[in-house]
Amino acid sequence: MAAVTQTTTPSMWSDEELAEVRGRLQQEIDELEADILRHETEIASGDVTQGAGDDQADAGAKTYEREREIALTLNARDLVAQNERAIARIDAGTYGVCESCHKPIGKERLQAFPRATLCVACKQREERR
Ligand SMILES: [Zn+2]
């Protein structure tokens, strides 16, 4: 008889709670992807109108605007990737485990920051680096 002493369950997450977090992450992905699409359309249309204005200042403003759009898009893409990773962790049953020290991250922290992959201690250590 093999005694089951394994306690790998990271924290007391019910299926319902996980489904709720998963839903929140998925909704955010949908919103971010809509944002990305909008920004990309704006960036693309900016290329089309290039050369239309001969005003130097206007061109500078356009470049700035375009760079801002690209930065926003990259940021949104990064968030999508983080959310997708969190969802993958939920599906794999490893959600809520710190990626660094493998201890439970803590439910309250995850409910505030659903895409957190580090516990508070590891996060603080990382920020100090
Ligand atoms: Zn940790």
Side-chain angles (χ1 to χ4, degrees):
M1 46 173 261
V4 183
T5 46
Q6 252 192 336
T7 46
T8 40
T9 319
S11 48
M12 271 59 87
W13 287 86
S14 69
D15 289 348
E16 259 170 50
E17 284 165 337
L18 281 177
E20 204 228 298
V21 174
R22 202 182 186 288
R24 272 170 65 190
L25 290 164
Q26 186 59 58
Q27 198 197 337
E28 208 174 275
I29 289 174
D30 292 344
E31 287 168 6
L32 286 165
E33 279 183 339
D35 269 1
I36 291 169
L37 203 70
R38 212 182 59 228
H39 287 307
E40 281 182 345
T41 310
E42 281 170 33
I43 293 164
S45 68
D47 279 338
V48 173
T49 53
Q50 216 178 37
D54 47 356
D55 193 337
Q56 199 68 28
D58 188 46
K62 258 186 196 148
T63 305
Y64 170 79
E65 188 61 30
R66 187 159 180 272
E67 271 164 14
R68 204 181 62 98
E69 292 283 348
I70 292 169
L72 284 171
T73 308
L74 288 177
N75 184 47
R77 275 195 197 287
D78 191 45
L79 289 177
V80 168
Q82 284 180 41
N83 279 19
E84 278 174 347
R85 216 163 90 199
I87 288 177
R89 283 158 66 86
I90 290 173
D91 293 344
T94 56
Y95 186 70
V97 183
C98 175
E99 280 186 341
S100 181
C101 68
H102 304 288
K103 285 181 197 152
I105 291 175
K107 215 166 173 175
E108 275 177 35
R109 172 162 163 74
L110 283 167
Q111 277 167 343
F113 307 100
R115 68 179 92 84
T117 54
L118 294 173
C119 69
V120 177
C122 291
K123 177 81 181 159
Q124 285 174 346
R125 204 171 51 216
E126 183 153 287
E127 278 169 0
R128 248 182 273 135
R129 261 208 305 245

